[in-house]
Amino acid sequence: AVVSTQSGHYGRGHRIANARASKPAPPKPVTEMNMVEIDKFNAQAGLISRDRWWLFTWCVMVPITIAQGVRSYYLEIEHNKHYPEPYVPYENIQNADKPFPWGDGKRSLFFHPKWNPIPGEGYLWEKKDDE
């Protein structure tokens, strides 16, 4: 197959043709080629590789990423329908040598009242239910 050496914007047909191409044989023996001819010949392999990665990215990886994002969204929606298991204050879990430098010192930087218990106290939503 002929490798398109066009630069700049060109149609999808050139990219697909380049992605399916293999590097052609040199027009003459390499020992008879000057540096400009060698560089031009070697640029063809770069175009083939570039267009293969372009094709792989847009035809394989983007659809997989979108499908995985949709799948993760629905799994997370299902997961968030229930509350976490009741808090059990195990001694070996959530041992802190020193308190956090903000708030009451027991809540981490990414504390979420539904999903993160306060060490030694439990979930905030359990406290509200008890009151």
Side-chain angles (χ1 to χ4, degrees), residues 6 13 17 24 40-41 51 56 77 95 107 110-111 118 131:
Q6 293 177 339
K40 188 174 181 180
F41 174 70
D51 290 338
F56 177 75
I77 292 296
N95 290 344
R107 300 175 192 197
F110 301 104
F111 178 79
I118 297 174
E131 293 174 357

Side-chain angles (χ1 to χ4, degrees), residues 57-88:
T57 298
W58 290 104
C59 296
V60 177
M61 294 312 297
V62 169
I64 287 174
T65 303
I66 291 170
Q68 185 61 29
V70 169
R71 177 183 171 272
S72 298
Y73 175 77
Y74 284 112
L75 286 174
E76 195 64 25
I77 292 296
E78 184 66 30
H79 175 75
N80 285 336
K81 287 182 180 177
H82 61 81
Y83 277 89
E85 296 292 322
Y87 176 71
V88 179

